[in-house]
Amino acid sequence: MAANITFTIIKPCAVKNGYLGNILAEIIRDGFKIKAMKYLKLNQDQAKAFYAVHKGKPFYESLVEFMISGPIVVAMLEKENAVESFRALIGATDPSKAAEGTIRKKYGESLQANAIHGSDCDENAVIENNFFFSQCERF
Ligand code: CMP
């Protein structure tokens, strides 16, 4: 059975471009409940650790530089079938291939600056939420 928790990052490009309010409104309108949320700027060590799964890939270094280029919003989200439902809301990783109406289609600039992250499976949702949120930061 699918779990009811996912994790998101509203990325530096979306914050810089002034899309934070619109994106949060879309997430809430789609039925997600915010269980935890932070506005922060990652340092290089933190970004490298979070994206360790991509270490060695050609885009890793530039992904880390991009993710530390400005403030981000991280959030733990709850909804039935959360991971799959959120991935449908945000669309394909590459905004140029994302379906009309999805968040990445509307607010993404490129494969790297794709506005928003969503966990790809229940296991990673747990790992990603644990990276950013302690027990007492969850409501
Ligand atoms: P996301 O899935 O949120 O987290 C990893 C990110 O790496 C992904 O979004 C993209 O922004 C980025 N990414 C994935 N594949 C590539 C690629 N081939 N080139 C550049 N960036 C990529």
Side-chain angles (χ1 to χ4, degrees):
M1 198 183 83
N4 60 351
I5 290 293
T6 192
F7 169 79
T8 189
I9 303 176
I10 300 174
K11 298 188 180 184
C13 54
V15 174
K16 211 171 289 173
N17 290 332
Y19 298 144
L20 180 56
N22 285 355
I23 290 175
L24 286 174
E26 291 207 25
I27 291 169
I28 292 164
R29 200 181 309 128
D30 203 60
F32 288 90
K33 292 218 160 55
I34 296 171
K35 302 293 284 180
M37 186 159 72
K38 285 181 189 173
Y39 181 66
L40 57 91
K41 193 164 181 285
L42 289 171
N43 67 34
Q44 196 176 54
D45 286 346
Q46 291 164 337
K48 281 185 169 172
F50 184 77
Y51 286 110
V53 64
H54 294 301
K55 196 168 178 187
K57 294 183 186 165
F59 60 88
Y60 175 69
E61 300 294 336
S62 123
L63 173 63
V64 167
E65 288 311 306
F66 167 65
M67 290 303 296
I68 65 173
S69 68
I72 59 175
V73 168
V74 295
M76 176 175 172
L77 302 172
E78 183 184 66
K79 187 184 175 187
E80 198 177 316
N81 198 17
V83 166
E84 201 181 312
S85 176
F86 195 70
R87 288 172 73 77
L89 177 67
I90 68 177
T93 307
D94 184 345
S96 71
K97 296 181 182 142
E100 283 305 326
T102 59
I103 290 176
R104 282 172 169 158
K105 183 70 173 185
K106 285 194 254 187
Y107 304 111
E109 297 175 345
S110 65
L111 180 53
Q112 178 169 267
N114 63 353
I116 192 162
H117 167 79
S119 305
D120 63 358
C121 63
D122 292 339
E123 189 189 359
N124 283 338
V126 171
I127 292 169
E128 292 167 358
N129 277 305
N130 285 344
F131 187 93
F132 285 98
F133 302 114
S134 66
Q135 206 56 46
C136 63
E137 291 171 318
R138 303 172 185 207
F139 300 97

